[in-house]
Amino acid sequence: MARPVKPEQRIFVALGSNLADPVRQVLMALERLRRHPAVYGLTVSSLYQSEPWGNPDQPEFINAVAEMRTTLVPGDFLALLLDTEREQGRVRNGNRWGPRVVDLDLLAWGDLRLCEPGLKVPHPRLADRRFVLLPWAEIAPEFQVPDLGRVRDLLARCPDAGHVSLLSSEVEDTAVAIAEG
């Protein structure tokens, strides 16, 4: 039986891509989420460029973090993220840290803690990834990740020394330029 959803819960999703025009892929995923009738209140970080994590022999990634709310339960929201990945051409082939057209990770769902097959919230490796924490700290530095602490404190303690740099602080302008170009 599904748990009742508190619509005021802040939900955070990491977005990344390093194939097939990565900026466009991240922006397409954001637009798909924005248009979904069960998703509302979308706020998006700037776009960042980062070194690949786990497997350095691949192109650099474009990353962002989005905050939103939804009327869906966590399992159905995860299905929406996975459907979005598939619709954009993502094939899950077991290559855990390999190149990908798009990657959408559910980072946190308010104060919820879940450990179910295929769904762990908060994301189990979020505190180890600078490319997640930097954009997240831009939009929600004070957010308290259950059992881990504030996002800005997690960023300050992050063991990941990989290079992450600001690509574009104007996500909306970038989206318009891509649509027109």
Side-chain angles (χ1 to χ4, degrees), residues 9-32:
Q9 292 281 11
R10 299 170 75 186
I11 300 164
F12 295 92
V13 174
L15 302 97
S17 173
N18 72 340
L19 295 176
D21 193 351
V23 170
R24 182 182 299 275
Q25 294 298 332
V26 168
L27 295 175
M28 283 175 37
L30 286 167
E31 187 58 28
R32 287 174 193 262

Side-chain angles (χ1 to χ4, degrees), residues 56-83:
D57 191 25
Q58 59 183 315
E60 290 195 328
F61 275 82
I62 300 302
N63 300 102
V65 169
E67 176 181 354
M68 63 204 73
R69 289 164 173 71
T70 185
T71 56
L72 298 172
V73 295
D76 291 343
F77 186 74
L78 177 63
L80 169 62
L81 297 179
L82 295 174
D83 288 347

Side-chain angles (χ1 to χ4, degrees), residues 147-163:
D147 301 326
L148 296 175
R150 290 183 304 188
V151 171
R152 70 181 176 117
D153 296 334
L154 295 173
L155 177 59
R157 296 190 308 261
C158 183
D160 179 8
H163 180 71

Side-chain angles (χ1 to χ4, degrees), residues 4-180:
V5 174
K6 295 190 251 176
E8 68 277 5
Q9 292 281 11
R10 299 170 75 186
I11 300 164
F12 295 92
V13 174
L15 302 97
S17 173
N18 72 340
L19 295 176
D21 193 351
V23 170
R24 182 182 299 275
Q25 294 298 332
V26 168
L27 295 175
M28 283 175 37
L30 286 167
E31 187 58 28
R32 287 174 193 262
L33 292 171
R34 186 184 321 269
R35 285 193 324 249
H36 194 281
V39 174
Y40 60 99
L42 190 72
T43 302
V44 183
S45 73
S46 301
L47 297 177
Y48 289 80
Q49 188 166 11
S50 65
E51 295 177 343
W53 196 89
N55 175 5
D57 191 25
Q58 59 183 315
E60 290 195 328
F61 275 82
I62 300 302
N63 300 102
V65 169
E67 176 181 354
M68 63 204 73
R69 289 164 173 71
T70 185
T71 56
L72 298 172
V73 295
D76 291 343
F77 186 74
L78 177 63
L80 169 62
L81 297 179
L82 295 174
D83 288 347
T84 300
E85 289 181 346
R86 274 190 297 278
E87 289 169 10
Q88 287 185 227
R90 168 103 188 249
V91 177
R92 290 185 177 266
N93 58 9
N95 188 356
R96 190 170 186 184
W97 294 310
R100 52 202 63 196
V101 172
V102 69
D103 187 28
L104 305 176
D105 286 334
L106 178 55
L107 299 174
W109 189 293
D111 60 1
L112 186 66
R113 292 166 195 83
L114 276 176
C115 189
E116 298 174 356
L119 179 58
K120 291 181 177 48
V121 177
H123 189 286
R125 292 173 297 281
L126 68 84
D128 298 328
R129 295 178 171 172
R130 181 168 304 284
F131 64 86
V132 167
L133 294 168
L134 191 58
W136 195 357
E138 177 188 325
I139 62 170
E142 299 300 320
F143 180 75
Q144 184 77 27
V145 180
D147 301 326
L148 296 175
R150 290 183 304 188
V151 171
R152 70 181 176 117
D153 296 334
L154 295 173
L155 177 59
R157 296 190 308 261
C158 183
D160 179 8
H163 180 71
V164 179
S165 60
L166 181 66
L167 181 68
S168 173
S169 61
E170 303 297 329
V171 171
E172 296 300 327
D173 291 344
T174 304
V176 169
I178 284 175
E180 293 174 351

